[in-house]
Amino acid sequence: MLRLLEKSWFQYLTLLAVLVGLVYYFGWIFDFGYDFDWSVLYTVNQTYGENFGFKLLDGLALTLQITLFSSAAALLLGTFFGLGRLSHFKPLYWASTAFVEFFRNTPLLIQLFFWYFAFPMLLPETLREWAFANNFELISATFGLSVYTGAFMAEVIRAGLQSIPKGLLEAAYSSGLSYFQALRTIILPLAFRAIIPPLGSEFLNNMKNSSLAMVVGVAELCWQSQQIESLTFKGFEATTAATVIYLGLSLSISAFLNMVNLRLQVAPRDRRSLGYRIADVFFWPFEMGWSLLATPVTWALARRSDSLQYSPLRVLVRKVRRLLELVLGALWKIAFLGGLLLLLFKAGQGLFALNWEIIRGNFFTLLIWRFPAGEGSELFMGLGGLSFSLLMALIAITVSFGIGLVVGLGRMSKNRLLNVPCTLYIELVRGTPLIMVIFWVYFFLPIFTKSYLNVFWSATIALTLFTGAYLAEIVRGGIQNIPAGQFEAAMSTGLNYFQAMRRVILPQALKQMIPAIVGQFIAIFKDTSLAYVIGVLELTFVAQGLNNRLMVYPFEIYATVAFLYFVCCYAMSLYAGRLERKLSPERLRLQM
């Protein structure tokens, strides 16, 4: 029997038998207590006279629109602030650092609420009315996604540029190239290969994050699926359809990004697999079109010289151009510094004008809700707010580490009985927005367990399952970074597989995994804000409740909530950075 388990055909046959058994059990034996009706997705509903399948397609179109516009804007913001974090001009460096750190360490949901509820209060009344009359929901959601994703892209671009050896930049300057020439002709082309994979991950995350636009009333895919559920009470069918569409989008984007990555890689002809050839064929029309467009432009702009010597006129033109560059550079710095000072002045005015009595009166409510004076029916003696968010994150990261460790090792296994289920779990969960995972657990887990599940535990289970998939990839990456010779040496001493992993491989891999695990803890702490959608009394839900009650103080409420999230996340970010510096070799910072 043990020999059979080592055979690939037997492993696949066993998996097929398990799949058939599950389909038979849940299809014919298990009582869901629910009447499935998939026709709701492709027939005209007699009550409302609409085909809800087309509504999902409308939501998909809006999701793609938000994703494309916000990704393009985020790339521009990320490039600007990423370069700003490498600048010698200190005001630009400080402003870029403040932008990146603040927006990376504040939950996207809070930012969307701020742009939709609080920001319009700054606008003149006529402009505010015009904005709400012209689909301000879509504008605020797209802008919020752009700013949030741009902060992450800035770090990706900065890291990619810093991966370039400093000597290349010095050589470019010594050859007479200006800052922009060195950036365009040497630094960016080389950094592009290092930037593309993580940048692609940010594009994928941005697509999944677009599902949060539903909280400000944007009728994208997630919103449409919940609307279908509320109108037809067919939540299983609607949520399944939306999940399949999100998975299809994720897989399509991942496949495209993999082709881009293959096309950018330089590999010998004898090592170019089928994937390289597919990427070459796919991008050939785009490259030919770019060449046809670029050739006449390059020819028209090319400098022509019949002599290697400068004439007096050329010397004068060169001096004038250099002078203009210096003057324009100085004017740009003055303008930027002036705009930055004006922004700081306005921010100071805004802080001074806040109703601090409102903040003081509700601060402890945001921290602990009604603890310890909660009613008997309330969970944890009325605990809520920030404490609830921290508790959810702590439980999720603790339990999910065990899941990630087991699943990560399972995905690395050569045995298909372990590899295939673990891979499916990772890809299915990571390809689905967290908000959809929360809906799945909250609405459908009680059907399988036949018992009521408190919203706190529903959200915590969803966060745990979601985090486990990401931690599994962290574990896999950490183990794969250990040289193969370490494992072979451990096995040669007589240790079995599990002993070698426990005593040799995992202790070394854990050292490399710790910074990434801390980073994932920060991410899951921010994601606790999504428990708001099912009514968990965490910080975001408490803040929204206070805002609905007070009505006229959204700035005070959301500024306080953003501050609380930022303090917690930034403190953890500093700790993660300290761990990374301690556990990684020192690197020289590239300045441009």
Side-chain angles (χ1 to χ4, degrees):
M1 185 65 180
L2 292 177
R3 289 184 178 180
L4 280 177
L5 288 174
E6 297 176 358
K7 302 293 184 180
S8 296
W9 65 267
F10 184 78
Q11 296 167 10
Y12 284 119
L13 188 63
T14 304
L15 287 173
L16 180 62
V18 171
L19 178 62
V20 171
L22 289 174
V23 171
Y24 176 73
Y25 176 75
F26 287 109
W28 284 273
I29 298 178
F30 185 81
D31 181 19
F32 285 92
Y34 178 85
D35 294 327
F36 291 93
D37 182 13
W38 296 99
S39 65
V40 72
L41 299 175
Y42 56 83
T43 59
V44 176
N45 185 278
Q46 298 300 319
T47 304
Y48 301 99
E50 290 184 302
N51 189 321
F52 290 116
F54 290 131
K55 289 295 183 182
L56 286 177
L57 294 179
D58 291 340
L60 172 61
L62 198 53
T63 293
L64 292 174
Q65 179 184 339
I66 296 171
T67 301
L68 291 174
F69 280 105
S70 60
S71 296
L75 185 58
L76 293 176
L77 289 171
T79 302
F80 177 80
F81 288 108
L83 292 173
R85 294 205 69 189
L86 299 173
S87 176
H88 279 296
F89 185 46
K90 291 304 180 183
L92 177 59
Y93 171 75
W94 292 329
S96 300
T97 301
F99 171 86
V100 170
E101 295 298 342
F102 179 78
F103 287 105
R104 284 178 74 231
N105 290 294
T106 310
L108 174 59
L109 190 62
I110 292 297
Q111 294 183 34
L112 293 179
F113 281 149
F114 176 84
W115 295 119
Y116 184 70
F117 291 108
F119 180 73
M121 304 295 290
L122 293 175
L123 302 176
E125 186 175 353
T126 54
L127 185 58
R128 188 188 317 151
E129 292 176 355
W130 178 88
F132 281 108
N134 289 273
N135 204 358
F136 182 67
E137 295 85 359
L138 180 61
I139 296 172
S140 62
T142 304
F143 183 77
L145 276 168
S146 303
V147 172
Y148 182 77
T149 309
F152 285 89
M153 287 187 176
E155 281 296 272
V156 170
I157 292 170
R158 178 189 65 84
L161 291 173
Q162 285 189 319
S163 68
I164 304 301
K166 190 176 182 181
L168 284 176
L169 184 62
E170 295 170 347
Y173 286 154
S174 66
S175 65
L177 296 180
S178 66
Y179 167 79
F180 291 104
Q181 288 173 328
L183 188 67
R184 180 175 59 87
T185 60
I186 296 178
I187 302 301
L188 284 181
L190 290 173
F192 197 59
R193 285 188 172 90
I195 290 173
I196 280 295
L199 204 62
S201 297
E202 293 305 329
F203 282 123
L204 184 58
N205 289 335
N206 187 53
M207 184 279 293
K208 292 188 291 185
N209 286 336
S210 67
S211 60
L212 298 190
M214 68 168 290
V215 299
V216 293
V218 178
E220 45 72 61
L221 180 58
C222 188
W223 187 92
Q224 292 287 5
S225 69
Q226 296 306 301
Q227 184 74 359
I228 294 172
E229 191 276 334
S230 64
L231 294 176
T232 64
F233 302 103
K234 296 298 177 183
F236 189 91
E237 293 85 343
T239 307
T240 300
T243 302
V244 169
I245 293 173
Y246 274 120
L247 283 172
L249 282 176
S250 298
L251 293 174
S252 300
I253 294 173
S254 297
F256 176 77
L257 293 172
N258 286 335
M259 283 198 295
V260 172
N261 194 27
L262 288 174
R263 188 67 187 89
L264 292 174
Q265 289 180 6
V266 179
R269 286 187 174 275
D270 58 340
R271 295 185 181 179
R272 292 175 67 83
S273 61
L274 179 62
Y276 287 96
R277 296 186 179 91
I278 294 175
D280 291 340
V281 172
F282 182 83
F283 287 105
W284 181 82
F286 300 100
E287 292 173 355
M288 287 298 297
W290 177 258
S291 298
L292 293 173
L293 179 64
T295 299
V297 175
T298 303
W299 180 83
L301 297 178
R303 295 180 182 177
R304 296 174 179 80
S305 177
D306 297 328
S307 172
L308 296 177
Q309 297 180 351
Y310 280 115
S311 67
L313 179 59
R314 286 176 180 166
V315 172
L316 178 62
V317 170
R318 185 177 178 86
K319 288 182 177 179
V320 171
R321 189 175 65 187
R322 294 283 295 177
L323 180 62
L324 284 175
E325 288 177 356
L326 291 173
V327 171
L328 290 176
L331 289 176
W332 181 87
K333 290 180 179 180
I334 293 171
F336 179 83
L337 188 58
L340 183 61
L341 291 174
L342 179 62
L343 180 63
L344 292 174
F345 176 72
K346 290 294 185 181
Q349 278 188 324
L351 288 174
F352 184 77
L354 290 178
N355 190 328
W356 292 95
E357 185 62 27
I358 291 292
I359 296 174
R360 187 192 64 80
N362 293 281
F363 189 73
F364 283 101
T365 301
L366 293 171
L367 289 181
I368 58 174
W369 185 233
R370 292 191 295 205
F371 179 84
E375 299 176 359
S377 59
E378 291 184 288
L379 202 62
F380 303 126
M381 300 174 63
L383 189 68
L386 179 62
S387 303
F388 229 34
S389 299
L390 287 169
L391 181 61
M392 289 172 62
L394 185 61
I395 295 173
I397 201 72
T398 302
V399 179
S400 62
F401 180 75
I403 296 174
L405 186 61
V406 173
V407 175
L409 291 173
R411 182 167 186 177
M412 295 181 63
S413 174
K414 294 180 181 179
N415 192 314
R416 301 297 185 274
L417 292 175
L418 298 175
N419 179 276
V420 172
C422 292
T423 301
L424 283 175
Y425 165 70
I426 291 171
E427 297 301 331
L428 288 175
V429 173
R430 292 178 74 228
T432 307
L434 175 56
I435 194 171
M436 297 299 296
V437 177
I438 292 174
F439 285 145
W440 273 107
V441 173
Y442 176 65
F443 289 115
F444 306 120
L445 188 59
I447 295 177
F448 292 95
T449 60
K450 302 296 184 181
S451 62
Y452 169 75
L453 200 61
N454 186 277
V455 289
F456 172 83
W457 294 115
S458 296
T460 304
I461 291 171
L463 289 169
T464 301
L465 294 173
F466 191 78
T467 309
Y470 281 85
L471 285 180
E473 286 296 274
I474 293 174
V475 169
R476 183 171 70 95
I479 292 175
Q480 287 181 337
N481 281 338
I482 303 300
Q486 296 273 359
F487 184 77
E488 295 168 357
M491 297 291 284
S492 67
T493 62
L495 298 179
N496 60 32
Y497 176 84
F498 295 102
Q499 289 174 330
M501 277 291 175
R502 182 171 60 87
R503 298 182 179 181
V504 179
I505 304 301
L506 284 178
Q508 296 181 76
L510 187 63
K511 179 180 177 181
Q512 301 182 29
M513 289 188 286
I514 286 177
I517 291 173
V518 176
Q520 187 60 37
F521 182 80
I522 298 171
I524 209 63
F525 171 66
K526 291 190 297 180
D527 287 339
T528 58
S529 61
L530 300 190
Y532 155 85
V533 298
I534 58 173
V536 180
L537 282 168
E538 44 73 53
L539 181 54
T540 305
F541 187 87
V542 172
Q544 187 71 351
L546 290 174
N547 181 60
N548 292 338
R549 188 183 72 188
L550 299 172
M551 295 298 290
V552 293
Y553 298 106
F555 255 97
E556 285 78 358
I557 297 299
Y558 290 118
T560 305
V561 171
F563 173 77
L564 290 173
Y565 273 117
F566 174 76
V567 168
C568 295
C569 292
Y570 188 62
M572 289 186 282
S573 295
L574 291 177
Y575 180 66
R578 182 181 175 186
L579 277 176
E580 192 168 2
R581 287 190 297 271
K582 183 179 180 180
L583 300 176
S584 303
E586 293 294 332
R587 294 181 179 178
L588 188 63
R589 180 174 179 267
L590 177 68
Q591 288 188 325
M592 301 185 67

